[in-house]
Amino acid sequence: KAGVTQTPRYLIKTRGQQVTLSCSPISGHRSVSWYQQTPGQGLQFLFEYFSETQRNKGNFPGRFSGRQFSNSRSEMNVSTLELGDSALYLCASSLYVDTGELFFGEGSRLTVL
Amino acid sequence: GENVEQHPSTLSVQEGDSAVIKCTYSDSASNYFPWYKQELGKRPQLIIDIRSNVGEKKDQRIAVTLNKTAKHFSLHITETQPEDSAVYFCAANQAGTALIFGKGTTLSVSS
């Protein structure tokens, strides 16, 4: 069974630009979560979606947004990029609605210059 | 919301020694506590988890203990091997809430 797929894997943007990252969950998984990973800060929660509805949202500014489509694929968007947005963005899917194992993708590494 | 603190941030051990990583959580309603391992350049993967209805769970060389009264849980790795070198993350949540991670522990096992 195919794992979680994230695209693009690497991208370079400049300050002020916007970026869209995509995540395709494992087939049958309807829950998708997004995390930002930076050195020393661990995995910081961005959002969680289930059946096209945002269930939870982390403490990130409104420049960070996301959505989920009817086929469970998810996208996240960051507008007006700042240098501090440089990070690895990880998507994870889950079979369970509540608590259970998260299956992570390999991430999208964003560099903001 | 939930807050998870993890210690130490780095841990160096000799091959064959034991390693212990500790986490505390803030939300007494949390009842699910997984541990993830992230090798260099790889994605995080679940290695063991525990729910609040048990105090300890073991899987070969790894074990997790949970103290709900004190709101802390720990990962124990025995007979460490070089392939145990990685970043380990603890996390906590309850049904309907986001899984919140600690900041990670970089474990280095030298032979």
Side-chain angles (χ1 to χ4, degrees):
Chain A
K1 171 152 84 164
V4 177
T5 303
Q6 292 188 243
T7 57
R9 291 289 317 282
Y10 303 91
L11 64 167
I12 300 173
K13 295 284 187 178
T14 56
R15 279 180 298 173
Q17 288 188 309
Q18 67 96 24
V19 65
T20 298
L21 309 178
S22 179
C23 172
S24 292
I26 291 173
S27 178
H29 287 194
R30 292 163 63 193
S31 177
V32 173
S33 300
W34 288 89
Y35 290 86
Q36 182 194 64
Q37 184 172 23
T38 54
Q41 292 301 311
L43 300 165
Q44 295 186 279
F45 172 72
L46 283 156
F47 350 84
E48 179 193 5
Y49 290 90
F50 180 79
S51 292
E52 301 179 70
T53 301
Q54 186 179 87
R55 291 212 310 165
N56 292 290
K57 187 177 190 303
N59 295 324
F60 278 80
R63 301 184 295 106
F64 291 79
S65 62
R67 58 179 176 168
Q68 186 181 34
F69 301 96
S70 58
N71 61 358
S72 294
R73 190 178 70 86
S74 178
E75 288 181 348
M76 66 163 283
N77 183 278
V78 188
S79 62
T80 319
L81 285 166
E82 300 177 359
L83 295 179
D85 297 333
S86 295
L88 181 67
Y89 290 88
L90 289 164
C91 166
S93 73
S94 174
L95 178 62
Y96 301 103
V97 175
D98 295 322
T99 57
E101 181 174 3
L102 297 185
F103 293 85
F104 284 88
E106 293 184 289
S108 293
R109 183 164 297 281
L110 170 65
T111 301
V112 182
L113 302 176
Chain B
E2 178 64 270
N3 183 52
V4 178
E5 301 279 343
Q6 183 171 349
H7 299 280
S9 56
T10 60
L11 180 59
S12 296
V13 300
Q14 291 286 322
E15 183 177 0
D17 288 349
S18 295
V20 180
I21 303 170
K22 299 182 180 182
C23 291
T24 59
Y25 60 98
S26 62
D27 188 349
S28 57
S30 288
N31 57 13
Y32 177 64
F33 308 94
W35 287 86
Y36 284 77
K37 175 184 180 182
Q38 186 177 31
E39 297 177 0
L40 190 61
K42 302 282 185 65
R43 69 191 81 190
Q45 292 189 293
L46 178 73
I47 55 171
I48 194 168
D49 57 10
I50 191 169
R51 295 183 185 272
S52 59
N53 56 344
V54 298
E56 183 175 1
K57 184 176 179 181
K58 287 176 126 175
D59 183 3
Q60 299 183 335
R61 295 187 297 108
I62 62 173
V64 57
T65 59
L66 171 65
N67 183 327
K68 285 222 71 178
T69 303
K71 291 192 286 187
H72 68 69
F73 57 113
S74 301
L75 177 72
H76 304 254
I77 306 174
T78 58
E79 300 172 25
T80 53
Q81 300 168 3
E83 51 264 40
D84 294 329
S85 296
V87 180
Y88 292 81
F89 294 98
C90 62
N93 76 333
Q94 57 169 310
T97 68
L99 187 63
I100 302 301
F101 287 84
K103 292 188 177 181
T105 296
T106 301
L107 173 65
S108 300
V109 181
S110 53
S111 55

